[in-house]
Structure formats: structure tokens, C-alpha cells
DNA sequence: AAGCGGGATGTAATCGATTCCACGAGTTCC
DNA sequence: GGAACTCGTGGAATCGATTACATCCCGCTT
């Protein structure tokens, strides 16, 4: 592969001049510039990004460590991140932690070794020493979706509290009183926060969230199935389960169906994270939608601000409730069969 | 950040010795080895992958350019690729082409600039000069899922012909005679092949595939919707639509539902690519499942073989039909409600 | 005792870029 | 006319690793 030396030789100039042409440095004669351009085209020369990075100590690359690529929420996030990064002149390397802390560490280490300019993380746990060291060492970092308390890193996330309150209002109105939740890992902020928001919303209606109605999941479909089976085996099963993410909701659907029961008649279902498929499941699933794309873009902007010496801002955006049919019909009104009439907000996807 | 020089200084040896310890070179005394190890630990030293790559001309990185991250098929593929690569000591950089040739070129160029060791591509089109040049220049490359005819690059893919034949047999048995297809872009192999396989299978039953029953899609949901609407507006609409990928099937579902019609009564539906959600849609969707994980792993093995000087093999694995309820019930037998009795193969997911 | 072999180590070249500094030629200004 | 500048250019140092080659030392053979 042609190097800058070959170009210099072909153009009859020094490598310094070639470099100047390539980087748009003003102090090059029009004639030299033309000769270099010609040589570049002729040789099909492309600068070696590895060499350039070594010299400049910049890779123009962002690392993104997400918890699970198979989760549509995270792929949508990843897509938005990549788009915004590209627009700002950065590439993105994605690491999939698969909800496993040791895999997360593997990717963080790998990305750090590659000297990425900054790191976007949605932590699967309370934070390994590795990540904390990186922060302390000054690696530009931003948390997306989940974060680690007590660490001085900007956080870009959605606040679901109001939406959870709307959800509980919706459920209460439909007559449900025994409400259960499939929680995410307590080590994640999204895991514990969603339970607390749910509990607080229930309290407003004088309802309690007994321990038996808190199932411990891990954000994967299988755990949703397992927890739901546990709920159904209870002497007094809940009337509703609220899954803290879309994959556990999928597992819950599996479990209900495997018993020959039906949603919402035998058990109502709601989920955190809205995805396109929820419109077409049987029944369509009521969900809390995050502004995923906006979150991804805001996170990139914050990280790039930090990298380029500006002051990054934490960002919190509201999530919103999207009512469908998985919790029961509010009123048998004359609406299209896809959507349910909603006092709160109507599904539009 | 500490460099090899700092380690050398701290350990009281030369950088050459440090390098030898790091790379497991035998000719280092136990004592020097221990001192270097100590210095490495104390300084928290990590080798700079950028510098190492420049010198060795190896990045231990694979590029993966996929057509669409939002398509669950490709995320599953990406996940398998990353896993296998990691097991073999490589990292993966994913580029999302979003079915747009110019974006694909952007990512190929970017990956090449980064001097990745090899490239895994699922081309969105017939192949840009850039990609063809890269092949000619000797960049190790393997095509996954889709490929470019006439280019000497190993291909790892699924053969859906038998499964399509099984699907048509299934449809014929259910009494359907007017079958339509939502095709992918003709520039992609999967786009044209699936149409041909479908046409050939129809021919075995003496059925024709008229032009009006071939809708031109682009593997995105929106095109599935548009094409399906076109089908429904025909004087003689088809009884079945076969979507060439899962996203177009989602669009087709949208279109049918928007008209207040029902699957399979008003229009039956089948899709290429099976995904977990198809079990829970209303109705569950009959699909052709590819051995996605196996494809991803085989592709990585082929690419790494090529990179490490062995001879890579093309691989073709069979796809299989998974019958659910979206084409109608074969026979009202006493089976669980989730699954339909199938003469061919039963859904197990 | 001289010579040889081999293990441990260091010196320095190298990968492909960027960039500081020096130099020569041409301008401008007094 | 000469000092001071500007502009275009090239030489060479540098980033952080790897590795060929040279050197030194120790022990063994003949």
C-alpha cells in the first residue's frame, strides 16, 4: 500500500509538503498542491490512520459499550450514536457487554488500548475498578441510559417517573389493584429506579408493592419468563405485570402463552421501552417510550464537547406512556382496532 | 499515559527487554521478567495498540459492514461474528450501511484507512469500485449473507431454495393459488435469488408469478407497507404475500391492519428471516429461518483463515421453514394455541 | 587455555504520519 | 540599498512499539 513517501517521490516534493497538502495547510504553492493531488489520485493513496493517530494522539473514534445488542432499544441507541458521531467527524466502535460485567471490562480495556478519544457507556453494573480508573485518569466519558452514582461523569438519560405515574393511573382506572414488577438487576440504575418509581406511583393510590410482587430479572427474555411463572404460581397472583424492559416483556408473553392464558384477560402486561414490534404483538403492548434517538445524539454531543475542550452537559429527557391493549380496554369506543382509546396518549407508531 | 519507556526506566532495563517480556519471548532472565512485571503493575501500563499496529502492520481487528443494524437478523449476525472473533483473538468494528451504497462505501473506506486485517461484508449493491479495488489489492475479504457475483471472494450464506419450496407446498396445500412476493433490491443477491426461488417453486405447481405480483421493496418496513397497499389495490389481489425479509413483513402487517383487514383471513403472510418476535405477533408469522449464528461464526472462521494464510472455504447452509399461523391453519388439530401443526417442521422458539 | 556456542541484554532502525525549525528567494518599507 | 518579513519548502525529530544485529558473559569441549 502506497505511503506518504511514495506520494512525495511521485510528486517530486518532500513528505512535509504532501502532509501539508493533505491537511489543508495554507502555505503550499498552487503548483505543488496540484502535483501532490495528481500523485495521490494516481497512486490511489489513502493516509494511514494508524500512523496518523500515533503521531497526533487522536483517533477520532468513540467507544460505545452497550449492555445488549440483541435488545432493540440498544440497537436504536447505537444507530443514533453512530449517525451523530459521523456527522461530527468521528467513528464509533461498539462493544457488546451482554449484561456481563466481565465482558464489559473486556471491551473497555480493549477500547482504551486502542486509544479511543472518548467512551460512551451504559454500565451493566456498579462500575469496575477499570472504569473508575479510566475516569480518574481523565478519559472523556459519558454515561447513557444507565449510570454509576457518585462518579463525576455526565449522564444522558430518560426520566420515566411521570410516565410510570401515568401508567399506574391508567392501570388503576382499569380496575387493577394487584400490580407486580419484573425488575432489572439492582446493580443498574435503571434496574432500581424503575422499581422505585413504580412503588412511589402505587403509593399515590394507597397501593403497596409487596416483595412477592417484585421479581428479580436481568433484562433478558428468559428471566421475564421465569419471574412471570413465579407470579402465576402465587396463591394470589398479580393482575398486572410491568416488565422493566422489552425483552423481559417478551419472556412474560411467552410464559403467559405457555400456560394457555391470555393477555390482558388473565394477566395484564406493560413494559418499559417501546419498540416497533409492540404494535403487532398479540395483544399490542402498552409501553413507556424513551426518546431513544435523541438520547443517543445528546450523548454524543456531550462526549464530543468534553473531548474538544468544551463543558459537557448532563441531559435528562422525559419518557412517555404509549397506551395499547395489553392492560385491557379503557372503554369500548369506536376506534380503529389497532389502537386503543387512551386518556393519556395515543399510540402513533 | 505510561509508555514502554517509562516501564523500562522503572524496571531498570531497556525497552527491548520490556517488549520481550510483554510478548512472551523466551530469552529473558527470570529476574528481569519479574522486575518488568512489577513495573507494569505499578504503573498500570497497557501497551499502545496504535503503535503496535503501526510497527507490526496488524490490527487484530475485523471490519463488518452490514446492511442494517435495526434489522434483528443482522444484529444477531453481528453478535455471532463478534463472539467468534473474540474467541480467535480479534475485535470487530461494525459499520452500518443502512441499505445505502454511499454509506457502505464510507464505512469500507474508513475501515480500510484503519488498516483492519480483514473485511466481512454483506453488500447492499453490486459492488462499488472501492470494494472491488480492495479485493484486487489483496485485502482479505469474505461475503456474508449477500455477495457480489463474479468476484473471487469466499461466500458464507444460507440456501433458502428448499425452504421456499416447502413454503410453497405449505401454501398450496392450504388452498392458496395467487401468491405474491415483496422482493428486495434487485442489486442484492438475496433480493433477486429469493424471487427466483419463489418463481421456480411456484412453477412446480404449475403456478405463474405475474409481474403485478412482484413488488419492489428495499428491505425496509416502509417499502413493505407501500407494496402491500399496491397489492390490495389490484383488481385481483393476491391471497398470500411473501416478504423477502422480516422488516418488510412488519410493513405488510401494518398495511393490512391499517385497512382493517386480517391475517391470514384476508391476506396470508410469510417472511424470509425468522426472529423471536414472530412468535408473538398477531398472528404468529410463518417464516424461513436462517442459521444466523452459524453463518456469522463460519464467516469469521473463513476470514481468519484467509488472514492467517490458510485457504478459506465458502460455506452454504440450509435454511428451514418454520410454520406458524399467518398463512392459515392446516388442520384444526388439538395442539397448543401458540403453534400450528406442521407437515414440515414445527416452530420451537 | 583457547575457542566456541548460546543465553541475556542493549542499541538503533523502522513503521507512516505530523510538525518544528532552518533556509533561500522574493517583497516591502524606510 | 539593506533590514525585516513573508512564503514555500525540505530536513529531521517524534509518537510507542517491534526486532535485527551486536555485544558481553559464562560454561563446556578439545
Amino acid at each position: 500500500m502506497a505511503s506518504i513517501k511514495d506520494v512525495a517521490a511521485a510528486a517530486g516534493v518532500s513528505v512535509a509538503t504532501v502532509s501539508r497538502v493533505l491537511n489543508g495547510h495554507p502555505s503550499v504553492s498552487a503548483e505543488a498542491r496540484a502535483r501532490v493531488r495528481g500523485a495521490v489520485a494516481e497512486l490511489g493513496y489513502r493516509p494511514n490512520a494508524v500512523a496518523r493517530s500515533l503521531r497526533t494522539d487522536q483517533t477520532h473514534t468513540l467507544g460505545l459499550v452497550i449492555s445488549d445488542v440483541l435488545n432493540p432499544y440498544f440497537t436504536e441507541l447505537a444507530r443514533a450514536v453512530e449517525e451523530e458521531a459521523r456527522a461530527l467527524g468521528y467513528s464509533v466502535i461498539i462493544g457488546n457487554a451482554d449484561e456481563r460485567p466481565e465482558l464489559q471490562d473486556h471491551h473497555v480495556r480493549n477500547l482504551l488500548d486502542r486509544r479511543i478519544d472518548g467512551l460512551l457507556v451504559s454500565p451493566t453494573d456498579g462500575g469496575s475498578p477499570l472504569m473508575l480508573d479510566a475516569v480518574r485518569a481523565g478519559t472523556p466519558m459519558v454515561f447513557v441510559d444507565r449510570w454509576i452514582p457518585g462518579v463525576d461523569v455526565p449522564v444522558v438519560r430518560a426520566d420515566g417517573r411521570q410516565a410510570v405515574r401515568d401508567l399506574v393511573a391508567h392501570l388503576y382506572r382499569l380496575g387493577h389493584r394487584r400490580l407486580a414488577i419484573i425488575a432489572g438487576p439492582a446493580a443498574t440504575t435503571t434496574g432500581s429506579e424503575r422499581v422505585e418509581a413504580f412503588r412511589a406511583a402505587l403509593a399515590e393510590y394507597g397501593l403497596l408493592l409487596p416483595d412477592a410482587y417484585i421479581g428479580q430479572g436481568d433484562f433478558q427474555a428468559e428471566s421475564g419468563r421465569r419471574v412471570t411463572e413465579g407470579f402465576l404460581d402465587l396463591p394470589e397472583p398479580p393482575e398486572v405485570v410491568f416488565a422493566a424492559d422489552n425483552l423481559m416483556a417478551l419472556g412474560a408473553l411467552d410464559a403467559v402463552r405457555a400456560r394457555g392464558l391470555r393477555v390482558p384477560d388473565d394477566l395484564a402486561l406493560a413494559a418499559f421501552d417501546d419498540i416497533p414490534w409492540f404494535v403487532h404483538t398479540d395483544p399490542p403492548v402498552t409501553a413507556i417510550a424513551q426518546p431513544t434517538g435523541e438520547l443517543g445524539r445528546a450523548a454524543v454531543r456531550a462526549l464530543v464537547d468534553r473531548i474538544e475542550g468544551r463543558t459537557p452537559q448532563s441531559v435528562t429527557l422525559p419518557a412517555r406512556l404509549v397506551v395499547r391493549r395489553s392492560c385491557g380496554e379503557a372503554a369500548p369506543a369506536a376506534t380503529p382496532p389497532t389502537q386503543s382509546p387512551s386518556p393519556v396518549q395515543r399510540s402513533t407508531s
Side-chain angles (χ1 to χ4, degrees), chain A:
Chain A
M1 192 147 245
S3 83
I4 196 171
K5 269 190 211 148
D6 304 316
V7 175
V13 297
S14 72
V15 294
T17 298
V18 176
S19 175
R20 281 191 272 258
V21 172
L22 262 31
N23 293 292
H25 191 289
S27 171
V28 180
S29 68
E31 202 239 325
R33 193 179 306 271
R35 287 225 306 283
V36 169
R37 291 257 161 76
V40 165
E42 192 188 350
L43 296 172
Y45 168 77
R46 296 247 79 212
N48 184 326
V50 175
R52 195 200 292 257
S53 292
L54 176 60
R55 185 59 238 252
T56 62
D57 202 29
Q58 294 181 23
T59 48
H60 273 273
T61 303
L62 271 26
L64 170 64
V65 180
I66 56 178
S67 324
D68 184 3
V69 249
L70 296 187
N71 186 327
Y73 168 74
F74 284 112
T75 56
E76 197 182 333
L77 187 72
R79 183 204 151 110
V81 164
E82 197 274 336
E83 263 176 15
E84 184 73 8
R86 180 152 35 82
L88 297 178
Y90 287 79
S91 322
V92 177
I93 303 185
I94 302 174
N96 172 32
D98 229 349
E99 301 287 0
R100 286 154 51 192
E102 78 280 9
L103 243 190
Q104 168 177 280
D105 258 24
H106 165 90
H107 284 118
V108 170
R109 200 183 330 266
N110 181 24
L111 291 166
L112 256 22
D113 286 355
R114 299 175 114 77
R115 301 303 194 262
I116 42 126
D117 293 340
L119 202 52
L120 239 35
V121 187
S122 169
T124 34
D125 62 1
S128 61
L130 178 63
M131 208 144 67
L132 303 180
D133 284 352
V135 175
R136 215 170 305 122
T139 310
M141 200 179 292
V142 166
F143 290 138
V144 222
D145 184 49
R146 312 178 183 174
W147 81 98
I148 301 176
V151 179
D152 183 26
V153 162
V155 179
V156 174
R157 66 187 195 99
D159 180 351
R161 264 172 309 177
Q162 183 55 48
V164 168
R165 212 173 294 141
D166 292 343
L167 170 65
V168 169
H170 170 65
L171 294 170
Y172 191 90
R173 204 174 303 122
L174 292 171
H176 299 303
R177 294 297 179 269
R178 297 199 307 279
L179 317 187
I181 184 168
I182 310 177
T188 62
T189 46
T190 47
S192 51
E193 267 186 354
R194 289 172 191 176
V195 174
E196 285 322 310
F198 194 56
R199 190 198 304 280
L202 290 181
E204 293 182 19
Y205 289 86
L207 299 176
L208 287 176
L209 183 60
D211 284 350
Y213 282 5
I214 305 178
Q216 196 46 249
D218 60 7
F219 287 137
Q220 303 280 343
E222 179 47 37
S223 72
R225 186 180 345 244
R226 180 172 34 77
V227 168
T228 305
E229 277 166 7
F231 285 153
L232 293 171
D233 286 338
L234 253 28
E236 193 171 49
E239 295 155 331
V240 187
V241 274
F242 173 39
D245 88 336
N246 68 74
L247 292 180
M248 297 194 296
L250 177 64
L253 270 179
D254 275 347
V256 171
R257 192 147 316 180
R259 298 234 176 164
L261 301 176
R262 300 184 38 186
V263 175
D265 314 80
D266 300 305
L267 184 67
L269 177 68
F272 211 103
D273 291 342
D274 192 22
I275 58 171
W277 302 101
F278 277 166
V279 177
H280 292 291
T281 46
D282 176 28
V285 176
T286 292
I288 292 178
Q290 299 193 48
T292 320
E294 232 354 279
L295 289 175
R297 288 187 286 275
V300 170
R301 284 193 296 267
L303 184 57
V304 170
D305 278 347
R306 168 78 173 74
I307 291 170
E308 298 181 352
R310 296 178 296 271
T311 308
Q313 301 287 329
S314 283
V315 175
T316 303
L317 301 172
R320 61 177 227 283
L321 177 66
V322 178
V323 172
R324 298 201 183 87
R325 291 210 314 276
S326 63
C327 301
E329 294 286 346
T335 40
T338 324
Q339 301 175 340
S340 74
S342 155
V344 178
Q345 180 147 12
R346 184 164 290 201
S347 159
T348 49
S349 75

